[in-house]
């Protein structure tokens, strides 16, 4: 089961908002024929209409993949229309936050191959990271296919169990917002030390983006990179003594933040 299988049997994309559009753009760029893609979306964008894909048209009976990219609250109306494709060869892949595999099995049928995925917002520029887990009916080949489709918007990792999805939500799913807030507060702190607002923001954005890129590219781990730029009794050490404080610094703060998001994810999944 590969992209040729998708090209010949078809792919149905349910929902084409930011995430759906980013994935579709990636697939078309990789050479998936637009005629092999059916999109169901109540408000198709001008861009979508320019791609040549089938929009709100009659669907193939047994597409290779149905990729669900609608908001969870829209799922109730949209999913039952696809139930006829359940319990068969069609692989369902969901990027809808907080919707457990069991919920899909209830609507689509218990024998349906279902892959649950948690991407994050940098997927919009092809720099996302997505965690995936399949139910027992997902073959290795189907999981490989789901990974290949989601790789269009960034890195993909596989989980050992669906219970890990709440922690993934707390770390990488919600995590971009933590970094955006870091940029905001870093810029504000620079302004407090006498820099103009525009200059402080430019420095903060470039610093966080550059350090992130360096952390990904470097062979050393982030702890070593930190040590490399920390001169004894220098300016970086003075700041790190504040940030690394076990009670009030990053270690305690981020542990609490990720736990709060993880706990909320569990609550939402349990209705």
């Amino acid at each position: 089961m590969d992209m040729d299988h998708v090209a010949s049997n078809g792919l149905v994309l349910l929902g084409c908002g930011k995430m759906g559009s980013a994935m579709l753009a990636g697939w078309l760029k990789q050479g998936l024929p637009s005629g092999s893609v059916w999109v169901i979306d109540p408000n198709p964008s001008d861009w979508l209409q320019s791609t040549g894909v089938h929009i709100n048209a009659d669907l193939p009976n047994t597409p290779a993949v149905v990729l669900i990219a609608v908001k969870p609250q829209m799922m109730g109306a949209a999913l039952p229309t696809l139930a006829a494709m359940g319990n068969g060869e069609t692989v369902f892949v969901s990027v809808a936050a907080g919707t457990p595999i069991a919920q899909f099995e209830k609507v689509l049928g218990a024998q349906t191959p279902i892959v649950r995925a948690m991407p994050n917002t940098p997927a919009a520029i092809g720099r996302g990271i997505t965690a995936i887990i399949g139910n027992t009916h997902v073959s290795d080949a189907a999981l490989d296919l789901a990974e290949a489709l989601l790789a269009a918007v960034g890195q993909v990792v596989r989980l050992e169990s669906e219970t890990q999805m709440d922690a993934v939500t707390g770390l990488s799913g919600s995590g971009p917002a933590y970094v955006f807030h870091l940029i905001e507060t870093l810029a504000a702190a620079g302004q407090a030390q006498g820099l103009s607002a525009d200059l402080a923001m430019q420095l903060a954005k470039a610093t966080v983006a550059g350090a992130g890129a360096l952390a990904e590219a470097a062979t050393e781990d982030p702890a070593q990179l930190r040590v490399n730029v920390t001169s004894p009794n220098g300016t970086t050490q003075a700041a790190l003594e504040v940030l690394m404080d076990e009670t009030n610094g990053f270690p305690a703060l981020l542990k609490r933040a990720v736990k709060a998001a993880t706990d909320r994810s569990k609550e939402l999944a349990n209705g």
Side-chain angles (χ1 to χ4, degrees):
M1 192 180 284
D2 54 21
M3 294 301 265
D4 290 340
H5 176 64
V6 174
S8 55
N9 290 59
L11 181 152
V12 174
L13 177 60
L14 181 59
C16 201
K18 283 183 185 168
M19 190 64 70
S21 297
M23 289 189 294
L24 178 57
W27 303 331
L28 296 175
K29 195 174 172 186
Q30 287 172 6
L32 186 65
S34 57
S36 298
V37 181
W38 280 258
V39 174
I40 307 170
D41 193 278
N43 303 299
S45 65
D46 291 343
W47 172 79
L48 178 59
Q49 294 181 59
S50 73
T51 58
V53 303
H54 305 276
I55 302 170
N56 299 327
D58 289 341
L59 303 177
N61 290 331
T62 52
V65 177
V66 172
L67 203 139
I68 300 162
V70 292
K71 288 185 165 48
Q73 54 269 33
M74 293 168 66
M75 201 94 71
L79 259 195
T81 61
L82 303 173
M85 298 173 186
N87 289 335
E89 297 295 309
T90 300
V91 180
F92 284 76
V93 180
S94 168
V95 296
T99 308
I101 288 172
Q103 201 168 318
F104 291 109
E105 289 175 338
K106 204 179 289 180
V107 179
L108 299 168
Q111 309 303 309
T112 309
I114 298 162
V115 176
R116 182 180 171 192
M118 167 59 69
N120 61 4
T121 51
I125 57 161
R127 294 292 305 273
I129 187 160
T130 303
I132 62 173
I133 184 77
N135 67 359
T136 53
H137 302 291
V138 174
S139 65
D140 290 344
L143 205 57
D144 288 344
L145 178 58
E147 182 171 333
L149 288 167
L150 293 161
V153 291
Q155 299 177 50
V156 181
V157 295
R158 299 186 185 196
L159 303 183
E160 290 166 16
S161 97
E162 192 182 3
T163 56
Q164 295 175 303
M165 202 57 93
D166 297 309
V168 168
T169 303
L171 200 165
S172 57
S174 300
Y178 317 160
V179 179
F180 301 147
H181 187 53
L182 172 63
I183 294 170
E184 278 182 284
T185 52
L186 194 55
Q191 210 179 328
Q193 296 306 314
L195 298 174
S196 72
D198 287 352
L199 177 58
M201 183 57 78
Q202 186 180 353
L203 289 167
K205 282 181 183 176
T207 299
V208 172
L214 178 58
E216 274 210 325
T219 50
E220 302 104 318
D221 66 17
Q224 187 57 49
L225 292 174
R226 170 179 53 75
V227 169
N228 294 350
V229 296
T230 309
S231 308
N233 299 317
T235 58
T236 308
Q237 184 177 322
L240 286 174
E241 282 172 4
V242 176
L243 294 175
M244 294 176 73
D245 182 271
E246 287 295 336
T247 311
N248 300 308
F250 278 175
L253 186 63
L254 285 172
K255 196 177 283 184
R256 293 207 326 269
V258 173
K259 183 181 186 304
T262 304
D263 289 348
R264 185 72 182 122
S265 177
K266 288 176 183 169
E267 285 170 15
L268 290 170
N270 294 328

